[in-house]
Amino acid sequence: MDNYLDLLNEPQRKAVEATEGPVMVIAGAGSGKTRVLTYRIAHLLNKGVDAFNILSLTFTNKAAKEMKERISSVVGHSEAKNLWMGTFHSVFARILRTEAPLLGYPSDFTIYDQQDAVSVMSKIITEMNLDKDIYKPKQVLGRISQYKNNLITVRAYMNNQTLIEADAEAMKPRMGDIYQAYVERCFKSGAMDFDDLLLRTNEILTRFPDVLSKYQERFKYIMVDEYQDTNHSQYLIVKALASRYENLCVVGDDAQSIYAFRGANIRNILSFQKDYPDAKLYPLEQNYRSSDTIVQAANNIISYNQDQLEKNVWTANDKGDKIAVYRALSDADEARYIASQIWERQISEHLQPKDFAILYRTNAQSRALEEALRKKGISYRVFGGTSFYQRKEIKDMVAYMRLLINQNDEEAFLRVVNYPARGIGQTTISKLLIAADQQKLTLFDLVDNITLLAPTIGINKGTALKLNDFILLIKRFQVMLKTHDVYEVTMEMAKATNFLNALKEDSTPEGISRLENVQELMNSIQGYVEEQQQLEDGDSSLSGFLENIALATDADNEDEDDNKVNLMTVHLAKGLEFPIVFIAGLEENLFPSMMAVNTRAELEEERRLFYVALTRAEKNAYFTYSVSRFRWGKIIDCEPSRFLEEVDDQFLSWKNLHIPTQRNNSGLSSDLFGDTPTSPSQSRSYPSEPRAKSVARQHPNANRPDPIKPKQNFKPIDQAKSASTSSANHLGLMIGQHVVHDRFGRGVVKDLQGDPSDMKAIIHFENAGEKKLLLNFAKLRIIS
DNA sequence: CCCCAACCGATTTTT
DNA sequence: TCGGTTGGGG
């Protein structure tokens, strides 16, 4: 494809062609910024720039992957494959694998996620004998995150009287000590949290000029997407790297800045031209995505914000339908309305499930929506919430894996040292922690010498033996990792640690689902190894896999069957688009959030969030709200969102104005709204107790027929499939049989090895070649 | 040391 | 209503 420039409009083309020097592209919603970025990179490559010299920072890994594919289709795969693309976190995690030893970290450092960090923090707060109600672990971490994102190290904090006083005033005079303890603890564990990935990168670039120089030469061309959502730490990294060549192109839209709560600094984009006085500015104002009504309504909304760059988003698209507004009586009613709209429009307009998205402010709102969709038999997928990798059984399994590559990882150690139970209790752990601290050893090193040290610590011989066994177990697999692939090692480990048996014993629906999740983890390891082996610069190591899952976001997960209605928070919907979008829960204290109505800045961010939500829609949007909602275990009354009033009525079509605004108990009722309590006033005449019950009856878990939680956003296990899997195992596979595998396709069984309870099959696949599969896990279907 | 029952807190958004 | 944590009994 050589005439790609013809596919662009005037400002887009200019932005693509301006490859040298600083460039800012202000891209209104739906104005084709991905297209600009893609062709800009393709253009660079066509001009002869080496792919190795291009760094492109995206907001999600999925965006990076998609962009890489699109570039491949323009310039060819061999050109595109060497591009550096990814999120800030994943790109710099990768660089830190090489450079972190400069700061004394192991190159196989662990990445602590939020859960790990909270767990570390809880321990610190307990150990320091501080009140957990004043020093709330999450809150404290949030504060530390702020410091880190502003490059305030422990030392800088200790010298900053203003900060110290602010914390003292906030009833937290020990913040400095906590901060120090937390940083030391992570360092000792060979671990970095998310903020460290950026902070330590900055530290290296500042302290080691030769390293900075290396990456400045390496990344001669830098592009940053969603620049409005970069924080100070990210800003400094970009600035440092770009300072030699200044071939920096940032793309963003100040109207879509929605991450201030985690440190995003809108000033980064607002003052780009101050940083780079000769920067060229290209505003993209033509929206190709949405109907005219949606574009205008969105402009109307955002005009209520004071802080913004001037721009005028317009579209040549048709006017389209008005935005439908539905006033529901309860959250269940709201969900039912949405589900039936989806159902009807699918049929009448030949739309598919994937054409619809339901967006909401908080993850908790998905419940009612899921229930309604399930009742109608509409397939859906929930993004976000507790992600797959945060599930307990997965975290446990991953903790074992983490220990293999970084034995000092204290969180991982503590997580699995007694799971499955091997007789190492809390008392022992406390003794170990104290001893490790005194002797300046890591837990692992301490326990590694436990036979010698046990008497001095006060641990009896039996317990010492158990501890020693644990260490030997881990060591055994560390050795195995050198000669076997990641999948085999993990599988063996899952068995040897009794991890699988412990799960198998639990025959409750939750237990079965847990086992299936572990199976799915195994599959994803296998998939990862396969995938990386096909890539020339692939990294099929265990640490590669762990890094991958630590930084994977929910938006990154791909579902093999993606023709489903999409449910997600507005935050997660950033960058996506859908023909029909429902924005649910437009109520005061929900959207805008109760926590964000106190300052103008907060409220403006909520409004931008609303703007983002609406501009996801291509063809048509719905606003829904309810007069009552099930929250915190009871029903509360709700007021419509102030944002609804801000939208000019000319863009709206009220769907059920016939419902009296005045609360009464008229019989709108059972046929329309089923078992929904008919009206709030009626509810008031009831004591609250029975009322709560009547709603509780329809709560998802109360009468859910199937035991497997469909809320899993990660490759939900197909029941039929797993049933046939197990029957295949029990019926016994035979040599010569034809089978189908989810990932590898059709194949023939060549050989069977091992005892019946743990059988391996050698299968020759038509497309994937010969594979050895563990029948306990491989999802096989026998076809002849 | 392990298991179970009672209790408390949660809901703003996420790399 | 849920899930995680804590404390007491076995």
Side-chain angles (χ1 to χ4, degrees), chain A residues 354-581:
Chain A
K354 68 169 181 210
D355 296 331
F356 298 88
I358 311 174
L359 308 182
Y360 37 78
R361 181 65 179 83
T362 66
N363 283 306
Q365 287 168 260
S366 74
R367 290 233 161 122
L369 295 161
E370 286 180 71
E371 165 127 3
L373 291 166
R374 205 160 43 233
K375 273 187 182 159
K376 281 243 176 332
I378 298 168
S379 60
Y380 62 89
R381 180 180 169 199
V382 182
F383 293 76
T386 338
S387 86
F388 180 76
Y389 293 111
Q390 283 164 8
R391 287 165 192 281
K392 183 186 177 301
E393 63 276 17
I394 301 303
K395 289 274 306 186
D396 289 338
M397 193 63 223
V398 168
Y400 274 108
M401 297 156 72
R402 271 165 46 174
L403 265 189
L404 292 192
I405 60 155
N406 174 12
Q407 60 190 32
N408 294 332
D409 181 343
E410 194 173 288
E411 278 309 299
F413 187 98
L414 293 173
R415 207 178 166 100
V416 294
V417 67
N418 196 35
Y419 184 83
R422 42 175 78 87
I424 300 162
Q426 198 48 58
T427 325
T428 309
I429 301 293
S430 304
K431 286 177 192 163
L432 290 175
L433 280 171
I434 291 165
D437 197 44
Q438 281 171 354
Q439 315 210 12
K440 300 268 173 274
L441 287 172
T442 65
L443 269 183
F444 192 94
D445 290 340
L446 177 82
V447 179
D448 199 9
N449 294 307
I450 196 67
T451 26
L452 285 172
L453 297 169
T456 53
I457 305 172
I459 283 175
N460 66 43
K461 224 166 172 190
T463 311
L465 212 63
K466 288 174 195 161
L467 283 166
N468 198 43
D469 284 349
F470 177 71
I471 296 288
L472 289 178
L473 187 80
I474 298 299
K475 283 188 172 171
R476 191 174 121 211
F477 289 106
Q478 285 176 335
V479 172
M480 186 178 173
L481 199 54
K482 290 181 183 143
T483 50
H484 291 69
D485 89 27
V486 176
Y487 177 79
E488 288 174 299
V489 176
T490 357
M491 195 58 228
E492 275 306 309
M493 194 169 59
K495 286 185 196 154
T497 55
N498 245 339
F499 192 96
L500 286 180
N501 288 334
L503 284 177
K504 275 179 191 157
E505 273 168 25
D506 183 356
S507 59
T508 61
E510 293 79 23
I512 292 167
S513 147
R514 272 196 282 273
L515 186 63
E516 284 175 334
N517 284 334
V518 174
Q519 290 179 0
E520 200 48 55
L521 176 70
M522 292 298 176
N523 286 346
S524 84
I525 294 172
Q526 201 176 24
Y528 177 82
V529 172
E530 295 285 326
E531 192 181 299
Q532 292 297 313
Q533 280 170 353
Q534 278 164 23
L535 257 58
E536 272 169 68
D537 61 341
D539 173 10
S540 63
S541 70
L542 180 52
S543 60
F545 177 75
L546 291 177
E547 179 184 312
N548 212 282
I549 63 176
L551 297 174
T553 65
D554 266 307
D556 298 332
N557 287 334
E558 281 166 74
D559 201 324
E560 56 271 18
D561 173 17
D562 62 355
N563 193 4
K564 293 175 177 172
V565 174
N566 302 282
L567 276 71
M568 65 187 90
T569 62
V570 182
H571 283 91
L572 276 178
K574 178 157 108 155
L576 306 178
E577 57 188 18
F578 305 93
I580 316 274
V581 169

Side-chain angles (χ1 to χ4, degrees), chain A residues 28-201:
Chain A
S31 62
K33 77 178 166 130
T34 310
R35 169 175 270 237
V36 167
L37 273 172
T38 309
Y39 288 128
R40 197 169 194 279
I41 294 168
H43 193 63
L44 281 168
L45 293 171
N46 276 348
K47 277 179 64 179
V49 174
D50 191 332
F52 275 108
N53 292 329
I54 301 176
L55 169 65
S56 177
L57 296 163
T58 56
F59 200 71
T60 62
N61 290 309
K62 189 182 173 197
K65 205 173 157 189
E66 281 173 6
M67 203 182 294
K68 217 165 180 176
E69 275 161 18
R70 286 172 66 169
I71 294 168
S72 293
S73 72
V74 181
V75 299
H77 176 69
S78 56
E79 275 287 306
K81 70 166 194 267
N82 291 323
L83 290 164
W84 275 68
M85 275 198 184
T87 61
F88 272 92
H89 293 269
S90 61
V91 165
F92 294 108
R94 201 165 150 196
I95 286 175
L96 285 170
R97 293 272 165 231
T98 312
E99 312 297 347
L102 288 171
L103 301 177
Y105 284 90
S107 62
D108 274 336
F109 62 85
T110 303
I111 298 171
Y112 275 179
D113 65 15
Q114 173 84 4
Q115 264 184 53
D116 298 316
V118 169
S119 160
V120 172
M121 186 53 75
S122 302
K123 275 175 220 143
I124 290 172
I125 288 167
T126 315
E127 280 166 28
M128 292 174 81
N129 274 320
L130 297 171
D131 186 343
K132 273 215 158 82
D133 292 329
I134 296 173
Y135 293 91
K136 293 197 169 112
K138 266 195 197 154
Q139 234 174 52
V140 173
L141 276 170
R143 189 80 180 142
I144 290 177
S145 174
Q146 278 178 24
Y147 303 150
K148 286 188 176 175
N149 285 328
N150 287 295
L151 267 64
I152 300 163
T153 58
V154 174
R155 196 137 133 235
Y157 177 88
M158 299 298 192
N159 291 323
N160 188 325
Q161 217 47 46
T162 322
L163 283 176
I164 293 173
E165 274 163 30
D167 281 329
E169 221 149 277
M171 306 273 293
K172 296 187 184 66
R174 302 291 303 280
M175 269 306 297
D177 300 330
I178 297 175
Y179 187 15
Q180 181 164 27
Y182 175 75
V183 169
E184 280 172 3
R185 194 94 157 219
C186 290
F187 184 76
K188 190 178 158 198
S189 287
M192 296 202 198
D193 64 17
F194 289 135
D195 302 319
D196 281 329
L197 296 175
L198 307 173
L199 176 67
R200 301 301 165 202
T201 301

